Amino acid sequence: MQLREMRVSGFGTFADTRVRGLAPGLNVLHGPNEFGKTTLLEFVRRVLFGFPAKRGETNQYPNFRGGQYGGQLLCEMRDGRTLTVSRTSGKSGGALAVEDERGAAVNPDAFYAALGNASSDLYHNVFSVGLEELYRVN
């Protein structure tokens, strides 16, 4: 899977925001402190794997600027299809919807199977490494 675009409806300081131009291979987000790099990384993680429960110390990234909490990812699959993966907050990590280019529903289990059934932990530690993970490595 190749991430092609992020559409943030409402997450942290982002509302009605699109991030385009993601290229094949490695994409690096850089910018000054408080630019939103970690927020976008968490947005991708949570759309793919669900929003955490509201209890505990996990940053929820509430949507400060409005918009429905959540958003979409446009993903180009190995077979050339582009799928839209959407998630909004709710029970059990939030409702996940996957659609193909024509708007037809795709079974979320088939989507995860196409990702090699990668777990959230694998994704966090291999494919979406952030500053927090680097601190843990020391």
Side-chain angles (χ1 to χ4, degrees):
M1 177 194 89
Q2 183 69 51
L3 184 61
R4 292 294 184 211
E5 183 175 325
M6 294 179 256
R7 298 176 181 166
V8 184
S9 298
F11 191 80
T13 60
F14 295 101
D16 194 28
T17 301
R18 293 176 100 165
V19 177
R20 299 179 184 170
L22 299 171
L26 180 67
N27 286 273
V28 177
L29 297 177
H30 64 91
N33 289 341
E34 302 303 316
F35 187 72
K37 303 175 297 290
T38 300
T39 302
L40 287 173
L41 179 63
E42 276 303 315
F43 170 76
V44 172
R45 289 172 172 172
R46 292 177 187 192
V47 169
L48 288 175
F49 296 104
F51 295 102
K54 293 185 179 179
R55 56 189 175 275
E57 295 181 26
T58 303
N59 185 344
Q60 297 295 316
Y61 293 91
N63 49 340
F64 292 115
R65 296 188 179 172
Q68 183 177 17
Y69 188 63
Q72 302 175 325
L73 302 173
L74 269 65
C75 305
E76 185 177 323
M77 305 307 288
R78 179 175 286 175
D79 62 8
R81 294 181 302 156
T82 299
L83 301 181
T84 301
V85 181
S86 306
R87 189 181 300 267
T88 55
S89 66
K91 293 180 181 179
S92 302
L96 174 69
V98 183
E99 296 180 345
D100 65 15
E101 298 96 336
R102 295 169 285 133
V106 173
N107 183 319
D109 291 335
F111 171 71
Y112 284 118
L115 296 181
N117 293 308
S119 68
S120 175
D121 286 340
L122 176 69
Y123 187 80
H124 275 70
N125 294 311
V126 175
F127 299 108
S128 68
V129 178
L131 193 56
E132 184 176 320
E133 289 80 19
L134 293 176
Y135 280 138
R136 277 192 236 140
V137 171
N138 196 6

